[in-house]
Amino acid sequence: DKKKQLLNSVSPNRRPRSSRSKRRHKEKQMLREYIQELEKEKESLINQWKEEYKEEFSEKDLQEQREKHCLNGRQEFHTKYVKPCWSTVLTWLSYLEIYISNMPLTIGAVGLSWVTMGVVWFKFMEEMT
């Protein structure tokens, strides 16, 4: 944005009025030329980097890297089928462990609540008679 404002602020149709304004006009013109040169250099560097990237990472090279790092059949089967299945089994085993671990507390809580209810009922019936 600043570059565009700077370039727009310097118009080639303006005529300087005094030596000071001539100098300022010349400085602005030199600045505009410098900015244009930097833009050209930037574009050339970007194009150069794109070409280097294409040369470095051509499709053949990528295919060769994939083949080098390709897993053998047994490892591939393990990573595709066994590992996801085993992780699901481990998840269900952990859920089962949590359920079983909480059973004694649940049974104790239910037993305690029934005993409490029985005692309250017994006292209530004792007062009724």
Side-chain angles (χ1 to χ4, degrees):
D1 288 334
K2 289 183 180 179
K3 279 191 289 185
K4 290 181 181 179
Q5 289 175 355
L6 186 63
L7 288 174
N8 291 335
S9 68
V10 180
S11 66
N13 297 334
R14 270 193 184 159
R15 291 188 178 174
R17 296 181 187 154
S18 66
S19 64
R20 186 174 181 187
S21 62
K22 282 182 184 180
R23 188 173 19 160
R24 194 178 322 150
H25 176 72
K26 190 171 185 176
E27 287 173 357
K28 288 182 180 182
Q29 190 175 7
M30 288 174 55
L31 184 62
R32 183 175 5 142
E33 290 173 1
Y34 179 69
I35 290 172
Q36 288 175 350
E37 288 176 15
L38 288 177
E39 287 292 324
K40 287 179 185 178
E41 185 179 352
K42 176 184 162 187
E43 288 178 20
S44 67
L45 283 174
I46 288 174
N47 290 334
Q48 178 185 352
W49 292 336
K50 284 181 181 179
E51 289 174 8
E52 289 174 1
Y53 179 80
K54 286 178 184 178
E55 290 173 2
E56 187 175 343
F57 296 104
S58 67
E59 188 62 36
K60 289 181 181 179
D61 293 337
L62 291 175
Q63 187 66 25
E64 288 175 4
Q65 287 178 357
R66 285 187 200 122
E67 289 174 3
K68 284 180 185 177
H69 297 297
C70 182
L71 302 173
N72 62 22
R74 187 174 181 189
Q75 289 175 333
E76 190 173 344
F77 176 79
H78 178 74
T79 55
K80 281 186 178 178
Y81 301 108
V82 175
K83 196 171 184 179
C85 180
W86 188 244
S87 66
T88 307
V89 168
L90 287 177
T91 303
W92 281 104
L93 284 175
S94 66
Y95 291 155
L96 182 65
E97 180 185 7
I98 292 169
Y99 179 74
I100 291 172
S101 297
N102 287 326
M103 286 304 286
L105 295 174
T106 305
I107 292 169
V110 169
L112 186 63
S113 67
W114 278 97
V115 168
T116 306
M117 193 165 52
V119 168
V120 169
W121 180 78
F122 182 74
K123 289 292 183 182
F124 176 73
M125 291 308 286
E126 200 175 66
E127 287 179 9
M128 292 294 284
T129 57

